[in-house]
Structures are given as C-alpha cells and as structure tokens.
Amino acid sequence: GPKVLQIPSHQIIDMGQMVTLNCDPVSNHLYFYWYKQILGQQMEFLVNFYNGKVMEKSKLFKDQFSVERPDGSYFTLKIQPTALEDSAVYFCASSLVGGGFYAEQFFGPGTRLTVL
Amino acid sequence: QQQVRQSPQSLTVWEGETAILNCSYENSAFDYFPWYQQFPGEGPALLIAIRSVSDKKEDGRFTIFFNKREKKLSLHITDSQPGDSATYFCAASGSNYQLIWGSGTKLIIKP
C-alpha cells in the first residue's frame, strides 16, 4: 500500500535545542497531519495542513511548534525550543481528501524524539 | 466533550477464538469511526471503518458493530490468529479533519 516515510527514526537532543522532524507523504496526497504518542498510549492530534496552510491545530500544538511543506518537499514539524515534555513518538500521516469516511489517513513509522 | 474510550486495556484470547474490543464516545456529532491496528515500532494502519449511518461493517474476519443510540461500537475478530496480536485503536471524527483516538486495546493471541 501507499507509504509514508519519516526521517529520522530516532532523534536525541538537549532541552532548548531546535529539532526538525521530516515526513515524506504519499505522493498524490493533499492533506498532512502530525500526531503525538507517548509510550504507546493514545494518539493525540497536533495539526493538519492543506494547501500551504494550517487547517486545524490542537492545544498540544504550542507556539514553539511550526509546520511547513516548501515546494512539495518534506512536510516538516519544527520544535523550537524543545522541552522535556516534548519527548514522544511523532507520527506523520497523509490523506488524499480531508475529513470523513473517504479520508483514510496513512501513517508513517514515527520518529522517536528524546529530549534530555 | 470529545473523548473516545476503549475497553479492555488489554485482552488475551486463544487462537481460533473471537476477540471483542469495545469503544464508546460522547460527541454525537461524530459520524466516522475507523479502527487502526498498530504493531510495535510501526505506525497505525487502517483496519476497518464504519459510518454512523450503518450498524454493521464486515471485512473478512473483522466486523464492527455500531449502536448509535448508546454511542457504542465494538470490533469483533473471529478465528483469531497469532498475527492479529497488536494494539487496536478506535478513533472518531465529525465534520472537521481531526481524528480523536481512544487509548487502545492491546490484544494478545495465544497459540
């Protein structure tokens, strides 16, 4: 099936540093998402992105977070500065359409972020 | 409230038995309920989904039963196989783009 790739698979950084998580979504998909999962617990929605804009974001999407997808390249999540509570696995997802029954979201394998 | 709740937290069944995973929600505006399967170290993958206009959705050994009045649904896995061992997440969404996730059920199938 369609594949979403995430780079890197694991990132360790010191608190206060900047980190960029990269996502290569399914090639013809138009909607992109970031989710946060702590220690195999429930997935928590962070943000979705369409046509160069943030469509929705949750309370977890702090001011230190930003997303972009310049010129059809990677869809990125940047955290600057990082905090200890940002340690989690971050999943990227993409879908062809947004919302509802036909908007199947395809997930990448995740990036494990460890903030020391 | 937008919570989605799942039970049990973990479930162990013998190979060949039927595993039943439960999910409930609070927001009556939710109309799309996908179930995702996640193996350790991987991202979740869509297993089966149902819309609120239906009360049952079947795909091979996997069936969703949906009760709109009680805001409950369940995933039945018949003839369970060891390869079905994974964490299963129930999710829900309405007219917006957000998927609201339950906390998952860790399913173990014993051979």
Side-chain angles (χ1 to χ4, degrees), chain A residues 42 48 56 101 104-105 108, chain B residues 36 43 46 51 96-97 101-102:
Chain A
Q42 70 192 94
N48 62 29
E56 292 176 296
F101 187 77
E104 179 181 351
Q105 295 182 24
Chain B
Y36 279 82
L46 181 66
R51 298 176 68 188
N96 60 15
Y97 304 99
W101 297 68

Side-chain angles (χ1 to χ4, degrees), chain A residues 27-39:
Chain A
S27 60
N28 62 336
H29 283 187
L30 302 175
Y31 293 81
F32 312 109
Y33 312 80
W34 283 104
Y35 291 86
K36 179 181 181 180
Q37 187 180 45
I38 296 177
L39 285 176

Side-chain angles (χ1 to χ4, degrees), chain B residues 19-24 35 50 55 57 63-67 72-77 90:
Chain B
I20 300 175
L21 289 66
N22 300 302
C23 179
S24 65
W35 284 83
I50 193 168
D55 56 14
K57 179 72 179 293
T63 303
I64 300 174
F65 293 93
F66 180 69
N67 185 322
K72 291 181 178 179
L73 54 161
S74 61
L75 174 68
H76 291 227
I77 306 174
C90 170

Side-chain angles (χ1 to χ4, degrees), chain A residues 7-78:
Chain A
I7 303 163
S9 58
H10 194 175
Q11 180 89 47
I12 302 173
I13 59 170
D14 291 323
M15 183 176 63
Q17 282 190 319
M18 181 195 76
V19 68
T20 299
L21 309 183
N22 299 293
C23 172
D24 188 9
V26 177
S27 60
N28 62 336
H29 283 187
L30 302 175
Y31 293 81
F32 312 109
Y33 312 80
W34 283 104
Y35 291 86
K36 179 181 181 180
Q37 187 180 45
I38 296 177
L39 285 176
Q41 295 176 21
Q42 70 192 94
M43 201 78 69
E44 294 188 278
F45 170 82
L46 287 175
V47 65
N48 62 29
F49 189 83
Y50 168 73
N51 198 25
K53 299 175 190 172
V54 170
M55 301 296 290
E56 292 176 296
K57 58 184 180 180
S58 72
K59 293 177 183 177
L60 294 177
F61 194 78
K62 304 178 294 184
D63 291 342
Q64 296 90 330
F65 288 28
S66 63
V67 291
E68 63 175 356
R69 191 185 187 214
D71 298 326
S73 60
Y74 287 147
F75 175 52
T76 62
L77 173 65
K78 183 183 293 185

